[in-house]
């Protein structure tokens, strides 16, 4: 690997942050069930397949993993790699597209989060699909904030090896009611 050549300081910082987050995810996955469950709560579900494929390759080679980025580094043993792969591999993921009637409460653009209230008054939060542009979200905010509408969501249910279940949502679209 070689160092990125960049004149853009912010791009370098974003790449560094992303690498650090990936290293933390790998470390949590190979550390313990609790650390893995906590890390997955903040990770888009589509990234689990990539994590599983990455750990599978290292596990099949019966290798270790050592990564460094700046002052942060991880050194993961062959046994920890195997345990991490098994942890991800045995995690059951169910997903479906759903439609919910509710009220848009708002967006957090920097963290790609949304919040709605369904017809029963239950608050639902989740991530915003990367397919939705900032312009589209601003349009949704203008047209639907604090108004009744229909939310098109991906619903994810993750069942961990510990038996713990976590549910999450991804906003795909908002339509008028």
């Amino acid at each position: 690997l070689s160092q990125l050549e960049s004149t853009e300081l912010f791009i370098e910082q974003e790449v560094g942050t992303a690498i650090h987050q990936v290293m933390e995810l790998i470390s949590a996955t190979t550390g313990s069930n609790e650390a893995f469950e906590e890390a997955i709560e903040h990770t888009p579900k589509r990234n689990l397949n990539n994590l599983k494929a990455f750990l599978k390759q290292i596990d099949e080679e019966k290798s270790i993993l050592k990564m460094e980025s700046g002052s942060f580094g991880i050194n993961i043993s062959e046994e920890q790699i195997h345990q991490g792969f098994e942890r991800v591999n045995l995690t059951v993921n169910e997903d479906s597209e759903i439609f919910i009637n509710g009220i848009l409460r708002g967006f957090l653009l920097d963290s790609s989060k949304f919040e709605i209230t369904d017809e029963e008054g239950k608050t639902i939060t989740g991530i915003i699909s990367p397919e939705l542009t900032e312009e589209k979200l601003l349009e949704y905010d203008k047209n639907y904030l604090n108004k009744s509408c229909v939310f098109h969501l991906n619903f994810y249910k993750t069942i961990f090896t510990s038996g713990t279940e976590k549910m999450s949502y991804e906003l795909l679209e908002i339509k008028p009611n």
Side-chain angles (χ1 to χ4, degrees):
L1 297 178
S2 61
Q3 185 170 345
L4 291 174
E5 296 295 326
S6 175
T7 57
E8 294 287 331
L9 177 61
F10 293 116
I11 292 173
E12 277 187 40
Q13 288 174 338
E14 288 177 9
V15 170
T17 299
I19 290 171
H20 187 83
Q21 289 171 341
V22 168
M23 290 170 64
E24 286 178 334
L25 176 62
I26 293 168
S27 182
T29 303
T30 57
S32 69
N33 285 338
E34 296 78 19
F36 172 61
E37 290 174 20
E38 169 101 9
I40 292 305
E41 200 168 308
H42 308 291
T43 303
K45 299 302 172 246
R46 60 188 168 275
N47 292 357
L48 280 179
N49 289 333
N50 294 332
L51 177 63
K52 182 162 76 172
F54 178 71
L55 291 175
K56 179 180 181 186
Q57 289 296 314
I58 299 169
D59 187 48
E60 286 176 350
E61 295 298 321
K62 300 194 181 324
S63 188
I64 65 164
L65 176 65
K66 183 174 182 177
M67 295 176 73
E68 292 181 11
S69 176
S71 62
F72 182 65
I74 58 174
N75 193 358
I76 303 171
S77 70
E78 179 183 336
E79 179 60 27
Q80 288 172 307
I81 291 291
H82 180 71
Q83 290 171 353
F85 170 65
E86 289 298 314
R87 196 171 282 127
V88 176
N89 195 40
L90 295 174
T91 298
V92 177
N93 292 298
E94 301 171 6
D95 64 322
S96 58
E97 289 188 22
I98 60 172
F99 293 87
I100 294 178
N101 293 320
I103 297 172
L104 175 63
R105 304 307 295 166
F107 299 111
L108 294 172
L109 297 179
D110 289 340
S111 58
S112 296
K113 303 279 186 195
F114 73 92
E115 184 174 299
I116 65 175
T117 303
D118 70 10
E119 292 179 316
E120 286 127 31
K122 177 184 165 199
T123 299
I124 296 173
T125 60
I127 63 169
I128 299 168
S129 170
E131 305 298 318
L132 293 175
T133 64
E134 188 170 326
E135 292 78 24
K136 189 66 171 173
L137 293 171
L138 292 172
E139 179 186 318
Y140 285 160
D141 189 68
K142 179 181 171 190
N143 294 332
Y144 301 117
L145 185 64
N146 293 320
K147 295 180 183 167
S148 183
C149 45
V150 178
F151 299 92
H152 181 191
L153 307 169
N154 267 337
F155 171 70
Y156 301 102
K157 181 177 180 181
T158 304
I159 305 169
F160 297 98
T161 55
S162 66
T164 304
E165 293 183 7
K166 301 251 172 138
M167 294 172 281
S168 62
Y169 299 88
E170 178 181 21
L171 177 65
L172 302 176
E173 184 181 21
I174 302 175
K175 296 182 178 182
N177 205 355

